[in-house]
Amino acid sequence: MREYEKADRIEGPLVFFEGYGDAAYGELVEVHFDGGVRLGQILLTGERLAVVELWGDSAGLKPSDLRVRFLGEPMRLGVSTEMLGRIFDGLGRPKDGLPPPLAEARMDVHGAPLNPSVRAYPQDLIQTGISAIDGMNTLVRGQKLPIFSGSGLPHNELAAQIALQARIAGEGESFAVIFAALGVSHDTATFFQERFAASGLLSRTALFLNLADDAPMERLVTPRIALTLAEFLAFERNFHVLVLLTDMTNYAEALRELSTRRGEVPGRKGYPGYLYTDLASMYERCGRVQERAGSLTQIPVLTMPGDDITHPVPDLSGYITEGQIVLSRELNRAGVYPPVDVLPSLSRLMKDGIGGDRTRSDHPAVAAQLYASYARVQEVRALAVIIGETALSETDRAYLDFGQRFERELISQQVDEFRSVDETLDLAWQVLSRLPAGELTRLSEDEVKRFYLGRLDHGGRYG
Amino acid sequence: MKPIGTIIEVNGPVVEARIREGVGLLEQVWVGEMRLAGEVIALKHDEATLQVYEETSGLRAGEPLFGSGELLSLTLGPGLIGSVFDGVQRRLEVIKTEQGIYIQRGATTEALPERGWRFSPSVEPGCHLHSGALLGVVSETPLIEHRILVPPSISGTLIDLVEEGEYQLNDRIALVRAEDGQEHVLGLTHRWPVRQERPHSGRLEPGPPLVTGQRILDTFFPLSKGGTAALPGPFGAGKTVLQHALVKWSNAEVIVYVGCGERGNEMANVLEELPELTDPWSGRPLMERTILVANTSNMPVAAREASIYTGITLAEYYRDQGYHVALMADSTSRWAEALREIAGRLEEMPAEEGYPAYLPSRLAAFYERAGRVRTLAGEEGAITIIGAVSPPGGDFTEPVTQHTQRFTRAFWALDRSLAGARHYPAINWQTSYSFYSEVVAPWWQQETQNDWLALRAEAASILEQDARLQQLVRLVGAEALPDRQRWVLEVARLLKEGFLQQNALHLIDAYCVPERQVYLLKLFVRLFELGRELLEAGIPLLRVRQALDLPRLLRLKEAVSNEQSAEIGTLQLELEARFKALEPTGEEG
Ligand SMILES: Nc1ncnc2c1ncn2[C@@H]1O[C@H](COP(=O)(O)OP(=O)(O)OP(=O)(O)O)[C@@H](O)[C@H]1O
Ligand SMILES: [Mg+2]
C-alpha cells in the first residue's frame, strides 16, 4: 500500500501533495487525519505532485496532519441484487444499520461508454397512467426523460407518481427503482421513502442519499454510484430499472464549486466548460442493449434557477436527454396537477413507442393535433387580453373553451390516478371535439370521421 | 516499440511528457503502459503536450511514451462504406465482438475489414501516372465503384500492375517509379493524415442543387452540391431529425455522418434504420452509400475533436474518386467545446466565452474543405457540408453560431417556438437564407419546366405579407382586417401548414420529389391569385373560402404521394374551375 504524509496545501475540496510522484490519475485515495478519514480521488498527477479531490468536508483539516493512502484503482462499487430494499449514503455505504450486502461484482463507478453499435433503439412504451406523459410525451424503456421544474413545484410528487405507477416490466420480468438524492432535504428523501413504502415498492428500491447537509463534493459521486448499480441490474441481471436523480441542479453546483477551486476558466454562469461532457457521462448511462432483456430508464429532476429554461443546467441537460417534461408555475397556481406545460415539453422517443400496434393508430395524430391546437390557444389568449373575449371570432372562442378543458380535463388528474392510454385518448377526443372539425387538420379525415364527437354543426364550416 | 519519452503529468485527457527522441507536432503517439492512442499537440524544448483519445485514469508519471512516426492518419481503401467508426477510425463492430457491450481502453482494430476485393486494372504498365491518377476499380457496394487512385504524394511511371483478380488489402497492386528513381509499392489502401486537406486540381463553381426532398429547403433555402450550410437551433428543435432526413433522402452519392458528442441512441437509430431503408434514387439499401463516425457525448472528449477531421478526410477520399459526398456533422458545437476543453487544460488564453482564439480559423478551415472541385484524376467531385450548431440557451449571438455563419452560405435557423407548436421542420423562414438560390435556379427551371424563381418569389412575398399582418392580428384579431388581407392570412396558413410543414416520420410526406414540390407550390400560388381577383371583383371572402376548402388542401401533402404528383395538377384545374364559377359574369350567366 502506498502512503504519503503531510499535505502542502488545502484549497476547499482540493488537497495538494507536492513531492509525491506515484499517484495514478483517477485513483481512489483515503485521506486520514486525526480522528477520521475521507475518501477522494486523484485529479491531477505529476512527477512531484498529486492533487486530491476530497469528497467530504475539508473544514478544520490541517495540511500537516494529513496522511494519504493510495488505493491503486478508481472507486469501485460492490454491486448485487441484494442492494434492492436497502438504504445507502452518497458514497454507497449502508445507512440502514445493516451490514454491507455481499458483492456479486465490483464495478468502476465511472462506468465505460456503451458501444453505440450494441445499443438497441428504445421503443417499448412505459405506461405511467399520466395523460400529459402517456398521451403527449410518452416514456419509453431505456429513455432519459428529465423533469424541468422550479422550486416549490410538485416535481417530487410527479416523479414519485411515475415511479409508483410505471408499468415498466412485462409479466415475468423484474422491475427495480434506484433513487439518488442529491443535496435535497431530509423531508424530500422521507417523502419518497414513505411513498415507496406505502405502495410496497421499497423492497425493489435502492436509495442512495446525499442530503442537503451532507458534503457537496460527495454529490459528484452519488449519481455515478446509483448508475453503476443500475447498469449492473439492467445489463447483467435483466432488470427493467428506473433511476430517479434529484436534484441535478445541486449536482451541477457542486461541480461548479470544484471547478472554481481549481481556478478553471468559468463558462456561462460560472459553470465549467465541460459541464456538458460531465452531465453526459451520467445521462448517457441509460438505454437498452441488443440481446439483453433489461433496460435502464432515467428520470432526472432538476429545478431551473429563476424558472429559466436557458440556464446552463436545464439547457445542457436538454441537449443530452431525450426530451423533457417542463412544469409550469402558472398551471400550478391555477391548481392544475400535474402542471405540465406541454409546449416546451417533448419526448423524442415517443414516435417509435406509439401508434397502431403499440398504442392506438390515432395516437400520433391526436398528439400532434393537441399540440397544434394548444399552441393556437396561447395566441388566442393573448389576443383575448387585448380585444376582449367577446370580440373574438366564434372559432377563437372555441379555442378558449378547448384550452380550458385541455388543462382541466386532460392534463389534470389525481396524484394516484392511473389512466390507461385508451382513456387518455378518448378524453383527448372529447376535448378536441370542442373545436370545429374543420380545425382538426393534423388528423386525417378518416380519423375525424371515426372519433370526432358531435358538434358537427361547426364541422361543416369550411365545406 | 521503443519508448521515446516519459510521462511527467496527467491532467484528464491532457498529458505532459519529457521527450528523449525526436517527435513531430501532431504525431500520433501511444501513451503509457496501456498504449492509449494520443497525438502531440504542442512541443516546447524537450517537453511534449499530448491529447489522449481514451480515458486516462490509472495513468501515472514515469510511464513510457511511444512514437508512431506518422501524423494522426486514416487508412483509406475499400471497405469504408457501411462501417461505423469511432473518432479515430476504430471499427465499433469489431470492438463489440472483442470487448463486449462497453468500450474498454486500448482497443486496436484494423481500420478496414480483412477480406479480398476483386480489382480490375484500368491502365497498362509503362504509362506515366500523375498523383491521384486512376489505377483500377473495385466494386465496393452495388452503389459504389471504388476507384483505386495513385496516392496524392506519388507520381511516376507504372512499372508493374496486377491483372484482374481478387486481392487482399495488403497485396501489392502496382509498382511506380518516380522521376527521382525511387520505387513505390502500391496496394489497395494508403494512409492519409486527417488534419491535412487532400489536394485537388482546382475549384469549380458550386453546382446543381443537393436535392433534399425537404420542401422548405429545396424550394426556399436550397443547397448546392459543394456548398455549405449551418443548421443552428436550441435543443429539441429538430437538427438531428433534419440531418437524418438528409442522410436518407438527399441525392448525394456518398454520405458521411459524424455523430460528434451526441446521443448513443441516435446512432443506434441510424444503425437500425439505414440497412432497412432504400435510397429513393437507386432503390438500394442506404447503408451501401453511408459511413458513420460516432463519438457519442460519453466517449473521450479528445476523440471528439478528431472525429470531425476523420469525417472530412473520408469525404475527401470519395470526392477524389469523383463522387459527390455530403457530410453531416452533428454537432459542430461539441467539437468546438472539445477544443475549448483541451485549450483550458493547456491554460491557453481564452478569447470569447472561453473558446480559444483559433476557434474561427479552425471553423473556417473545416468549411473550406467543402466545395466542388476538379479532382487530380480530372473528374468532378464535390463535398457538401451541413453542420449542426447547438448554441447555449438557443442564443445565436454566441461565438460558434456567429463564426459558422461567416463561413457557410446557407443558414437554416431552427426556432424554439415553431418547434413548441410542433411546426416541423422548425426552420424559421424569416431568418433563414441561402446564397445558392440563383445557382440552382437553372436546374429547377429545366427539371420542372416552370418559372421556379418567379413562383417561389411570389410564395415568399405571401409569407412576408403574412408576417407583417400577424403583428396586426395580434393586436386586433383577424376578424378586424379587410377581406384582402384576410385572404393573405388564409393562403399564408396554407403555405405554412400545407407546404413548409413536413413530417419527417410520415410514410408519404417524409420525402417530397421536386415535381411534387412545384405542383403544390404552383397550386397554392395560383389559388392565391384567383382568390385575390375574385375579392377585387367584390365576391365576399366567405364564398371564396368555401371554394378553397382549406382542410382538404392542408392534408394534400400527406394524401398525394410522390408518384401521384400529377394529380395535384388535376386538382388545380378542378379548383380553378370552381373559382372561375364564382366570377360575377359566371353568376349572371
Ligand atoms: N421534421 C420533423 N418531423 C417530425 N418531427 C420532428 C421533425 N423535426 C423534429 N421533430 C421532433 O422533434 C424532436 C427533436 O428533434 P431533434 O432530436 O432533431 O432535435 P435537435 O435539434 O437535434 O436537439 P438536440 O440539440 O438536443 O440534439 C424529434 O424527436 C421529433 O419528435
Ligand atoms: Mg440532435
Side-chain angles (χ1 to χ4, degrees):
Chain A
M1 185 72 60
R2 290 167 293 133
E3 285 195 359
Y4 191 71
E5 304 254 338
K6 281 203 179 96
D8 295 273
R9 275 182 294 142
I10 303 180
E11 292 176 13
L14 301 182
V15 188
F16 294 76
F17 296 91
E18 291 167 15
Y20 188 77
D22 199 27
Y25 180 73
E27 175 176 24
L28 185 68
V29 298
E30 283 174 5
V31 176
H32 293 260
F33 53 93
D34 216 17
V37 56
R38 296 241 191 289
L39 288 175
Q41 71 181 1
I42 298 293
L43 207 54
L44 186 137
T45 174
E47 279 183 306
R48 261 183 300 282
L49 176 65
V51 181
V52 171
E53 161 195 344
L54 208 60
W55 305 328
D57 204 0
S58 61
L61 298 188
K62 278 213 252 17
S64 56
D65 289 350
L66 301 186
R67 187 164 51 85
V68 60
R69 290 178 70 182
F70 298 87
L71 302 183
E73 56 173 24
M75 177 154 189
R76 288 176 190 272
L77 179 71
V79 289
S80 80
T81 318
E82 278 177 35
M83 293 171 83
L84 295 174
R86 301 286 309 269
I87 304 172
F88 304 91
D89 73 1
L91 293 178
R93 297 171 295 211
K95 211 180 171 172
D96 48 12
L98 299 172
L102 224 52
E104 296 170 57
R106 295 185 70 245
M107 297 169 71
D108 181 347
V109 300
H110 298 94
L114 264 183
N115 187 330
S117 62
V118 309
R119 282 182 184 269
Y121 189 62
Q123 37 194 228
D124 303 319
L125 178 80
I126 299 175
Q127 273 200 58
T128 66
I130 299 166
S131 293
I133 297 179
D134 294 358
M136 302 181 72
N137 294 290
T138 39
L139 179 64
V140 167
R141 280 181 189 169
Q143 181 172 16
K144 38 192 179 293
L145 188 63
I147 299 174
F148 286 8
S149 185
S151 45
L153 296 182
H155 42 266
N156 292 328
E157 283 76 3
L158 181 59
Q161 189 178 7
I162 294 172
L164 297 182
Q165 295 188 170
R167 304 215 169 142
I168 184 171
E171 238 166 87
E173 292 175 314
S174 351
F175 167 46
V177 174
I178 293 183
F179 176 83
L182 309 168
V184 298
S185 66
H186 282 266
D187 288 355
T188 302
T190 313
F191 164 81
F192 278 99
Q193 260 166 285
E194 282 173 358
R195 291 296 298 272
F196 293 165
S199 62
L201 199 62
L202 219 42
S203 63
R204 290 187 292 172
T205 303
L207 294 102
F208 295 90
L209 305 180
N210 167 281
L211 300 178
D213 52 2
D214 289 329
M217 286 307 120
E218 206 177 285
R219 230 157 269 171
L220 300 177
V221 188
T222 310
R224 297 186 160 85
I225 289 197
L227 289 165
T228 301
L229 176 60
E231 281 177 337
F232 171 76
L233 293 176
F235 304 135
E236 309 297 336
R237 294 292 179 268
N238 297 328
F239 277 83
H240 294 292
V241 185
L242 183 69
V243 179
L244 300 180
L245 305 167
T246 182
D247 174 330
M248 288 305 289
T249 304
N250 295 338
Y251 170 90
E253 281 167 0
L255 189 69
R256 174 169 66 181
E257 184 181 336
L258 177 69
S259 168
T260 313
R261 291 293 183 171
R262 294 183 70 182
E264 290 168 341
V265 181
R268 280 206 312 148
K269 301 229 160 116
Y271 290 94
Y274 51 80
L275 179 59
Y276 174 86
T277 302
D278 189 272
L279 289 173
S281 74
M282 294 175 287
Y283 293 147
E284 275 290 314
R285 295 173 77 174
C286 188
R288 284 183 48 219
V289 167
Q290 292 158 15
E291 290 159 30
R292 305 214 179 174
S295 63
L296 201 171
T297 308
Q298 268 191 43
I299 306 207
V301 175
L302 58 87
T303 44
M304 303 184 280
D307 289 350
D308 177 10
I309 199 170
T310 69
H311 180 279
V313 178
D315 188 50
L316 295 178
S317 296
Y319 271 122
I320 303 163
T321 56
E322 282 135 359
Q324 64 279 336
I325 306 288
V326 183
L327 301 191
S328 143
R329 203 165 287 283
E330 211 176 305
L331 287 177
N332 188 53
R333 224 179 273 131
V336 174
Y337 173 86
V340 175
D341 188 356
V342 295
L343 295 179
S345 298
L346 169 72
S347 164
R348 296 166 196 247
L349 302 183
M350 173 159 173
K351 52 187 192 288
D352 301 284
I354 63 168
D357 45 348
R358 296 179 182 272
T359 54
R360 219 166 83 176
S361 63
D362 57 327
H363 193 166
V366 166
Q369 185 65 59
L370 289 170
Y371 277 116
S373 301
Y374 191 60
R376 175 87 188 112
V377 168
Q378 309 305 315
E379 290 170 20
V380 175
R381 281 182 182 165
L383 180 64
V385 170
I386 298 172
I387 64 174
E389 254 181 59
T390 44
L392 293 177
S393 72
E394 204 180 327
T395 310
D396 282 354
R397 282 204 301 275
Y399 271 104
L400 289 187
D401 181 31
F402 161 80
Q404 272 282 333
R405 288 172 187 274
F406 174 80
E407 291 164 2
R408 306 249 152 228
E409 293 169 18
L410 183 62
I411 297 299
S412 278
Q413 67 189 81
Q414 302 299 315
V415 280
D416 54 359
E417 180 184 355
F418 184 97
R419 280 192 203 143
S420 71
V421 174
D422 256 325
E423 285 170 315
T424 290
L425 290 176
D426 290 345
L427 210 49
W429 274 105
Q430 271 179 38
V431 172
L432 282 172
S433 297
R434 292 283 153 177
L435 294 171
E439 291 293 303
L440 306 183
T441 53
R442 297 288 181 103
L443 291 151
S444 73
E445 280 169 8
D446 275 355
E447 286 160 340
V448 175
K449 261 196 216 110
R450 267 181 69 197
F451 295 104
Y452 185 74
L453 310 173
R455 289 185 52 105
L456 288 173
D457 45 332
H458 289 271
R461 186 161 171 163
Y462 290 118
Chain B
M1 237 189 271
K2 195 162 112 293
I4 56 162
T6 310
I7 294 171
I8 54 178
E9 188 183 286
V10 184
N11 179 5
V14 172
V15 170
E16 299 286 333
R18 193 173 304 110
I19 300 298
R20 278 192 303 277
E21 268 168 49
V23 66
L25 192 62
L26 301 183
E27 181 173 330
Q28 164 130 45
V29 289
W30 307 103
V31 184
E33 306 287 4
M34 291 180 280
R35 316 234 166 160
L36 306 176
E39 185 182 8
V40 179
I41 54 172
L43 279 171
K44 197 170 158 196
H45 307 301
D46 66 340
E47 286 186 12
T49 306
L50 323 167
Q51 64 176 359
V52 181
Y53 298 125
E54 301 181 76
E55 171 58 44
T56 51
S57 74
L59 205 61
R60 59 182 86 195
E63 290 194 44
L65 175 73
F66 305 92
S68 73
E70 74 168 1
L71 305 182
L72 180 67
S73 301
L74 302 184
T75 303
L76 301 170
L80 292 168
I81 301 278
S83 294
V84 191
F85 296 114
D86 76 353
V88 288
Q89 211 195 9
R90 287 183 294 204
R91 294 223 314 287
L92 292 178
E93 281 294 321
V94 179
I95 295 183
K96 166 168 132 189
T97 47
E98 286 177 0
Q99 302 192 329
I101 66 173
Y102 298 105
I103 301 181
Q104 311 291 346
R105 286 179 293 175
T108 48
T109 79
E110 294 297 329
L112 298 171
E114 278 174 56
R115 53 160 282 188
W117 294 96
R118 189 148 198 94
F119 172 78
S120 334
S122 309
V123 287
E124 299 276 324
C127 67
H128 178 82
L129 292 174
H130 54 80
S131 58
L134 183 68
L135 279 172
V137 300
V138 156
S139 168
E140 185 172 7
T141 73
L143 283 181
I144 301 296
E145 178 191 76
H146 195 109
R147 294 158 197 159
I148 307 293
L149 308 175
V150 178
S153 48
I154 295 171
S155 65
T157 309
L158 183 64
I159 305 295
D160 193 14
L161 183 66
V162 294
E163 290 177 357
E164 169 150 7
E166 182 154 311
Y167 297 94
Q168 299 295 316
L169 290 175
N170 295 332
D171 287 347
R172 161 180 164 159
I173 296 295
L175 187 68
V176 173
R177 184 179 302 133
E179 303 260 294
D180 62 5
Q182 203 189 335
E183 294 195 339
H184 300 275
V185 174
L186 306 181
L188 289 175
T189 68
H190 69 272
R191 303 266 296 163
W192 189 264
V194 293
R195 297 184 197 278
Q196 195 171 324
E197 183 177 353
R198 287 175 66 89
H200 50 72
S201 46
R203 283 183 176 275
L204 303 170
E205 287 296 303
L210 177 81
V211 178
T212 65
Q214 309 302 304
R215 284 184 293 271
I216 185 164
L217 299 184
D218 288 347
T219 298
F220 290 103
F221 310 111
L223 186 52
S224 154
K225 286 185 176 166
T228 48
L231 177 56
F235 64 79
K239 298 178 290 295
T240 304
V241 170
L242 198 67
Q243 290 207 331
H244 284 192
L246 265 55
V247 168
K248 293 176 199 163
W249 313 123
S250 72
N251 66 346
E253 291 163 307
V254 174
I255 304 273
V256 179
Y257 182 87
V258 185
C260 177
E262 294 288 310
R263 302 173 183 82
N265 279 335
E266 289 173 349
M267 296 311 295
N269 190 10
V270 180
L271 284 173
E272 282 182 19
E273 262 188 356
L274 284 197
E276 285 174 13
L277 289 171
T278 52
D279 176 8
W281 310 89
S282 66
R284 300 289 316 174
L286 282 167
M287 209 60 200
E288 289 178 2
R289 64 165 193 180
T290 310
I291 306 175
L292 301 173
V293 179
N295 176 284
T296 54
S297 57
N298 55 342
M299 284 160 80
V301 72
R304 189 171 309 163
E305 194 268 337
S307 67
I308 289 286
Y309 294 100
T310 296
I312 191 76
T313 304
L314 292 169
E316 283 176 347
Y317 177 60
Y318 282 91
R319 173 204 67 190
D320 290 348
Q321 297 174 40
Y323 287 110
H324 170 243
V325 188
L327 177 106
M328 322 283 158
D330 185 14
S331 158
T332 60
S333 294
R334 307 302 165 220
W335 165 47
E337 286 162 11
L339 279 182
R340 175 170 69 185
E341 185 169 339
I342 302 291
R345 305 246 183 193
L346 295 176
E347 294 177 7
E348 284 175 8
M349 190 62 150
E352 305 157 273
E353 313 231 342
Y355 286 105
Y358 47 77
L359 172 73
S361 62
R362 293 280 168 96
L363 282 170
F366 169 64
Y367 285 104
E368 197 55 24
R369 287 172 81 168
R372 194 157 152 260
V373 304
R374 178 74 56 207
T375 67
L376 294 178
E379 307 280 326
E380 202 184 291
I383 297 177
T384 310
I385 300 182
I386 296 114
V389 184
S390 314
D395 173 9
F396 288 2
T397 63
E398 61 90 36
V400 182
T401 314
Q402 285 292 305
H403 294 303
T404 303
Q405 192 168 5
R406 284 169 57 204
F407 307 127
T408 51
R409 296 177 56 79
F411 190 73
W412 301 335
L414 293 177
D415 187 303
R416 197 193 293 275
S417 60
L418 288 173
R422 271 49 176 182
H423 174 115
Y424 296 124
I427 297 172
N428 183 319
W429 53 92
Q430 287 174 281
T431 50
S432 300
Y433 59 78
S434 163
F435 284 123
Y436 299 110
S437 306
E438 306 286 329
V439 180
V440 303
W443 184 93
W444 280 89
Q445 316 269 115
Q446 173 77 31
E447 192 74 8
T448 66
Q449 296 299 318
N450 268 287
D451 191 353
W452 183 74
L453 277 178
L455 203 55
R456 64 193 279 283
E458 181 142 14
S461 126
I462 298 170
L463 290 170
E464 211 178 291
Q465 294 174 51
D466 174 71
R468 259 184 282 121
L469 290 175
Q470 289 296 345
Q471 298 179 357
L472 267 181
V473 170
R474 254 170 256 137
L475 293 176
V476 298
E479 308 285 307
L481 299 185
D483 281 0
R484 259 194 73 141
Q485 296 187 340
R486 292 180 63 188
W487 181 239
V488 173
L489 296 177
E490 189 90 350
V491 177
R493 173 160 174 218
L494 185 52
L495 282 172
K496 288 186 280 191
E497 293 177 33
F499 189 83
L500 298 184
Q501 274 184 20
Q502 190 172 354
N503 183 348
L505 312 167
H506 197 272
L507 226 51
I508 287 181
D509 204 35
Y511 163 70
C512 188
V513 291
E515 192 189 13
R516 191 156 68 97
Q517 299 191 26
V518 169
Y519 267 122
L520 283 171
L521 195 66
K522 217 163 71 173
L523 170 65
F524 298 161
V525 165
R526 182 77 188 119
L527 292 179
F528 176 69
E529 288 163 354
L530 288 175
R532 191 175 52 190
E533 283 162 19
L534 288 175
L535 294 175
E536 270 164 17
I539 310 293
L541 180 65
L542 191 66
R543 297 192 54 199
V544 182
R545 269 178 144 179
Q546 265 165 4
L548 183 69
D549 190 0
L550 190 66
R552 178 176 175 199
L553 291 182
L554 289 176
R555 293 190 182 103
L556 197 58
K557 60 180 185 187
E558 294 183 351
V560 180
S561 70
N562 288 324
E563 294 72 33
Q564 302 164 325
S565 299
E567 283 178 21
I568 301 169
T570 318
L571 178 67
Q572 179 170 338
L573 294 179
E574 187 190 311
L575 284 170
E576 280 181 11
R578 222 197 285 174
F579 272 58
K580 287 253 159 59
L582 291 181
E583 278 174 15
T585 47
E587 219 162 83
E588 284 153 18

